Coordinates of all heavy atoms in Angstrom, one line a residue:
L1286 N -25.6 -12.9 -2.0 CA -26.9 -13.4 -1.4 C -26.9 -14.9 -1.3 O -27.2 -15.4 -0.2 CB -28.0 -13.0 -2.3 CG -29.4 -13.5 -1.9 CD1 -29.9 -12.7 -0.7 CD2 -30.4 -13.3 -3.1
T1287 N -26.4 -15.6 -2.3 CA -26.4 -17.1 -2.3 C -25.5 -17.6 -3.4 O -24.8 -16.9 -4.0 CB -27.9 -17.6 -2.5 OG1 -27.9 -19.0 -2.3 CG2 -28.4 -17.3 -3.9
K1288 N -25.5 -19.0 -3.5 CA -24.7 -19.7 -4.5 C -25.2 -19.3 -5.9 O -26.4 -19.4 -6.2 CB -24.9 -21.2 -4.3 CG -23.7 -21.9 -3.8 CD -24.1 -23.3 -3.4 CE -23.9 -24.3 -4.5 NZ -24.0 -25.7 -4.0
T1326 N -29.1 -4.9 -6.6 CA -30.1 -5.4 -7.5 C -31.3 -5.9 -6.7 O -31.2 -6.3 -5.5 CB -29.6 -6.6 -8.4 OG1 -30.6 -7.0 -9.3 CG2 -29.1 -7.8 -7.6
I1345 N -41.2 -10.4 -4.6 CA -39.9 -9.7 -4.6 C -38.8 -10.7 -4.3 O -38.9 -11.4 -3.3 CB -40.0 -8.5 -3.7 CG1 -40.9 -7.5 -4.3 CG2 -38.6 -7.9 -3.5 CD1 -40.9 -6.1 -3.7
E1346 N -37.8 -10.7 -5.1 CA -36.7 -11.7 -5.0 C -35.4 -11.1 -5.2 O -35.2 -10.0 -5.8 CB -36.9 -12.8 -6.1 CG -38.2 -13.6 -6.0 CD -38.1 -14.8 -5.1 OE1 -37.1 -15.0 -4.4 OE2 -39.1 -15.5 -5.0
E1347 N -34.4 -11.8 -4.7 CA -32.9 -11.4 -4.9 C -32.7 -9.9 -4.6 O -32.1 -9.2 -5.5 CB -32.5 -11.8 -6.3 CG -32.1 -13.3 -6.5 CD -33.3 -14.1 -6.8 OE1 -34.1 -13.8 -7.7 OE2 -33.5 -15.1 -6.1
V1348 N -33.0 -9.5 -3.5 CA -32.7 -8.2 -3.0 C -31.3 -8.2 -2.4 O -31.1 -8.9 -1.4 CB -33.7 -7.7 -1.9 CG1 -33.3 -6.3 -1.5 CG2 -35.1 -7.7 -2.5
V1349 N -30.4 -7.6 -3.1 CA -29.0 -7.6 -2.6 C -28.2 -6.3 -2.9 O -28.3 -5.8 -4.0 CB -28.2 -8.9 -3.0 CG1 -28.6 -9.3 -4.4 CG2 -26.7 -8.8 -2.9
V1364 N -36.5 -1.8 -2.7 CA -37.7 -2.5 -2.2 C -38.9 -1.5 -2.4 O -40.0 -1.9 -2.8 CB -37.6 -3.0 -0.8 CG1 -38.9 -3.5 -0.2 CG2 -36.5 -4.1 -0.7
T1380 N -45.3 -10.4 -2.1 CA -44.7 -11.2 -1.0 C -43.2 -11.4 -1.2 O -42.7 -11.1 -2.3 CB -45.3 -12.6 -0.9 OG1 -45.0 -13.3 -2.1 CG2 -46.9 -12.6 -0.8
L1381 N -42.6 -11.8 -0.1 CA -41.1 -12.1 -0.2 C -40.8 -13.0 1.0 O -41.5 -13.1 2.0 CB -40.3 -10.8 -0.1 CG -40.5 -9.9 1.1 CD1 -39.6 -10.3 2.2 CD2 -40.1 -8.5 0.6
E1382 N -39.6 -13.7 0.8 CA -39.1 -14.5 1.9 C -37.8 -13.9 2.4 O -37.0 -13.4 1.6 CB -38.7 -15.9 1.4 CG -39.9 -16.8 1.0 CD -40.1 -17.0 -0.4 OE1 -39.1 -17.3 -1.1 OE2 -41.2 -16.9 -0.9
C1383 N -37.6 -13.8 3.7 CA -36.4 -13.2 4.2 C -36.0 -13.9 5.5 O -36.8 -14.6 6.2 CB -36.6 -11.7 4.4 SG -37.6 -11.3 5.8
K1384 N -34.7 -13.6 5.9 CA -34.2 -14.1 7.1 C -34.8 -13.4 8.3 O -35.2 -12.2 8.1 CB -32.7 -13.9 7.2 CG -31.9 -14.6 6.1 CD -30.6 -15.2 6.6 CE -30.1 -16.3 5.7 NZ -29.7 -15.8 4.4
N1387 N -34.0 -9.8 8.9 CA -34.4 -8.7 8.0 C -35.9 -8.4 8.1 O -36.4 -7.5 7.3 CB -34.1 -9.2 6.6 CG -32.6 -9.2 6.3 OD1 -31.9 -8.4 6.9 ND2 -32.2 -10.1 5.5
Y1391 N -38.2 -5.1 6.3 CA -39.3 -5.2 5.4 C -40.6 -4.7 6.0 O -41.5 -4.3 5.2 CB -39.5 -6.7 4.9 CG -38.4 -7.0 3.9 CD1 -37.4 -7.9 4.3 CD2 -38.3 -6.4 2.7 CE1 -36.3 -8.2 3.4 CE2 -37.3 -6.7 1.8 CZ -36.3 -7.6 2.1 OH -35.3 -7.9 1.2
Y1403 N -44.0 -20.7 5.5 CA -43.2 -20.7 4.3 C -42.6 -22.1 4.2 O -41.8 -22.5 5.1 CB -42.1 -19.6 4.3 CG -41.0 -19.8 3.2 CD1 -41.4 -19.9 1.9 CD2 -39.7 -19.9 3.6 CE1 -40.4 -20.1 0.9 CE2 -38.7 -20.1 2.7 CZ -39.1 -20.2 1.3 OH -38.1 -20.4 0.4
Q1405 N -40.7 -25.3 1.8 CA -39.9 -25.6 0.6 C -39.5 -27.0 0.6 O -39.4 -27.7 1.6 CB -38.7 -24.7 0.5 CG -37.8 -24.8 1.7 CD -36.6 -23.9 1.6 OE1 -36.1 -23.6 0.5 NE2 -36.1 -23.4 2.7
R1407 N -36.3 -28.9 -1.2 CA -35.0 -28.6 -1.9 C -34.6 -29.8 -2.8 O -34.7 -30.9 -2.3 CB -33.9 -28.3 -0.9 CG -34.2 -27.0 -0.2 CD -33.1 -26.0 -0.5 NE -33.5 -24.7 -0.2 CZ -32.9 -23.6 -0.6 NH1 -31.8 -23.7 -1.4 NH2 -33.3 -22.4 -0.3
Ligands
LIG1067 C1 -33.6 -14.9 0.0 C2 -34.2 -13.9 -1.1 C3 -34.7 -14.7 -2.2 C4 -33.7 -15.6 -2.8 C5 -33.1 -16.5 -1.7 C6 -32.0 -17.4 -2.2 C7 -35.1 -11.7 -0.8 C8 -36.2 -10.9 -0.3 N1 -35.1 -13.0 -0.6 O1 -34.6 -15.6 0.6 O2 -35.2 -13.9 -3.2 O3 -34.1 -16.4 -3.9 O4 -32.7 -15.7 -0.6 O5 -31.6 -18.3 -1.3 O6 -34.2 -11.2 -1.4 P1 -31.4 -19.8 -1.7 O7 -30.2 -19.8 -2.6 O8 -31.1 -20.5 -0.4 O9 -32.6 -20.3 -2.4

Side-chain angles (χ1 to χ4, degrees):
L1286 177 71
T1287 189
K1288 252 168 92 167
T1326 183
I1345 292 192
E1346 297 275 2
E1347 279 84 50
V1348 178
V1349 37
V1364 174
T1380 65
L1381 58 86
E1382 288 112 44
C1383 73
K1384 297 222 161 66
N1387 293 328
Y1391 288 110
Y1403 164 59
Q1405 58 177 329
R1407 294 242 162 194

